[in-house]
Amino acid sequence: MKTEKLLSLILAGALSLALTACNNANQTSDGGVITTSEITEADETEVQTAEVTELSADTESAAENVIIDREGNAITVPDELNTIISAAPSVSEILSGLGVADKIIAADVYSADVDGINPDVCTLDFYNLNAEELISLSPDAVIINGISETGSSDPYKELKEAGINVVYIPSSTSIDSIKDDIAFLAAYTGTEEKGDELIAYIDAAVEDVTSKASTAEKKSVYFEIGAAPYLYSCGKGTFIDEILTLIGAENIYGDEEGWISNSEETVIAANPDVIITNVMYDGYDFNEIKERAGWEVITAVMNGDVYQVDSNATSRPSQNIVDGIYAVAKAVYPEIYGE
């Protein structure tokens, strides 16, 4: 009997200690008691916190694949970009410079002369879009230049509805915006290191001509981008005007804005020291400028300072603008930049 009582006392004491420990565990720091419902809510909060943390991690991961395009829109970078359709020669030039020319499965007809591009795939006429043809190619991306996605009519709406990633790049009008195009396409294609090299290549050329411009005697220049009888030139807000400024020259239409339709009378009145044209097509001889009636009184014509520069290098917004910079610089200041 004594043994049984002793065991009973021991069991009772153990139970009391267990209850005390349990009560202490459920007590708050101020002596209150945590109820069962509060414990359940706390557990649920921990689960929810864990779920939010996991969701945030997923969101951050997704954000890493999102970049801002050249129109300010957030677009997703595809996990794989193996097939591209290029809608403009400037885009083709940049893609070639980034080392992804082999991914171009179709391009516009003007891209046929771009180094690294297979001319056989340059057959598309983007002024008369055949959406079904493009969709049938199942590209990972179609890159458009010079056409905005805004407005009442989007010629590429059908492509997007078919699930094709359509990327828009506005027409660049400055050297900085060309560099922005390169940086964007480099990020989009996963070739950032090569993109940095192309941008550095442009910066080096700009720095070079700028450093030499201080030694140049300012000359006035007429830059013709459309031949007679439909003359076209350019004013401020264009990369040609920017190039003329960089090399130390003065654009006779520098007070006007953008690409302009000019007249023979205003050219004659401005009396430029140098005339440059980038008009190039089969059968055209730029020397006709020297034979235009009334132009014989212009200083550039009298001195024979009428030059033709490569059309692509001075009209396509890509890293090849460097060739355009030096071509213009040498035409205006051969004594500084070399013949």
Side-chain angles (χ1 to χ4, degrees):
M1 292 290 295
K2 290 181 179 180
T3 301
E4 292 175 357
K5 288 183 178 180
L6 181 60
L7 289 172
S8 296
L9 289 171
I10 292 172
L11 290 171
L15 180 61
S16 176
L17 289 172
L19 290 172
T20 300
C22 184
N23 287 335
N24 287 339
N26 291 342
Q27 285 183 344
T28 63
S29 59
D30 59 1
V33 178
I34 301 175
T35 65
T36 303
S37 62
E38 288 173 331
I39 293 174
T40 302
E41 289 173 0
D43 290 342
E44 289 177 352
T45 300
E46 291 179 2
V47 172
Q48 291 172 352
T49 301
E51 290 176 346
V52 170
T53 301
E54 184 178 352
L55 181 60
S56 297
D58 290 341
T59 301
E60 289 177 4
S61 177
E64 292 176 357
N65 292 325
V66 174
I67 59 175
I68 304 302
D69 72 6
R70 296 289 287 115
E71 289 195 333
N73 304 309
I75 65 169
T76 301
V77 177
D79 293 332
E80 290 189 8
L81 189 59
N82 298 316
T83 55
I84 302 172
I85 292 178
S86 172
S90 57
V91 171
S92 297
E93 288 185 353
I94 294 174
L95 292 175
S96 178
L98 294 173
V100 294
D102 60 320
K103 297 181 184 294
I104 297 177
I105 59 171
D108 66 291
V109 294
Y110 299 105
S111 291
D113 60 4
V114 176
D115 289 341
I117 306 295
N118 180 358
D120 293 338
V121 304
C122 302
T123 61
L124 304 177
D125 179 3
F126 279 83
Y127 291 103
N128 296 288
L129 178 68
N130 185 333
E132 292 182 358
E133 179 183 5
L134 300 187
I135 293 171
S136 69
L137 295 173
S138 300
D140 293 326
V142 176
I143 304 177
I144 313 298
N145 176 261
I147 299 177
S148 173
E149 68 174 323
T150 59
S152 58
S153 177
D154 181 356
Y156 302 100
K157 181 180 179 181
E158 190 175 343
L159 298 181
K160 290 188 286 187
E161 290 176 344
I164 295 175
N165 194 1
V166 179
V167 179
Y168 299 84
I169 299 180
S171 293
S172 291
T173 56
S174 71
I175 293 174
D176 278 344
S177 61
I178 292 172
K179 294 193 298 183
D180 288 341
D181 289 346
I182 294 171
F184 165 72
L185 286 174
Y188 186 71
T189 58
T191 56
E192 290 90 339
E193 184 175 347
K194 190 62 179 176
D196 290 342
E197 291 177 9
L198 296 182
I199 291 171
Y201 171 62
I202 295 174
D203 287 339
V206 170
E207 183 178 356
D208 180 39
V209 298
T210 301
S211 66
K212 295 174 180 176
S214 60
T215 65
E217 179 183 351
K218 192 173 292 296
K219 294 181 181 180
S220 59
V221 179
Y222 165 55
F223 198 110
E224 187 168 284
I225 61 176
Y230 306 108
L231 297 181
Y232 274 88
S233 187
C234 56
K236 58 186 176 182
T238 65
F239 50 75
I240 291 177
D241 179 76
E242 185 177 2
I243 290 172
L244 291 173
T245 301
L246 287 174
I247 67 173
E250 181 180 11
N251 181 5
I252 66 169
Y253 292 114
D255 291 335
E256 299 194 36
E257 190 77 35
W259 308 102
I260 59 175
S261 174
N262 60 291
S263 67
E264 294 194 46
E265 289 76 17
T266 55
V267 177
I268 295 171
N271 190 27
D273 297 310
V274 179
I275 295 176
I276 299 175
T277 180
N278 68 356
V279 177
M280 300 179 74
Y281 58 84
D282 290 342
Y284 178 72
D285 182 357
F286 77 95
N287 287 298
E288 64 87 11
I289 294 174
K290 304 173 186 177
E291 306 301 325
R292 292 176 185 171
W295 287 48
E296 68 276 1
V297 299
I298 297 176
T299 299
V301 174
M302 288 191 294
N303 294 337
D305 289 325
V306 179
Y307 306 98
Q308 183 182 54
V309 294
D310 185 74
S311 177
N312 294 343
T314 54
S315 62
R316 295 178 178 177
S318 77
Q319 69 278 2
N320 295 335
I321 195 66
V322 168
D323 295 333
I325 292 173
Y326 281 112
V328 174
K330 290 176 182 179
V332 181
Y333 297 110
E335 70 281 6
I336 297 176
Y337 298 100
E339 294 285 350

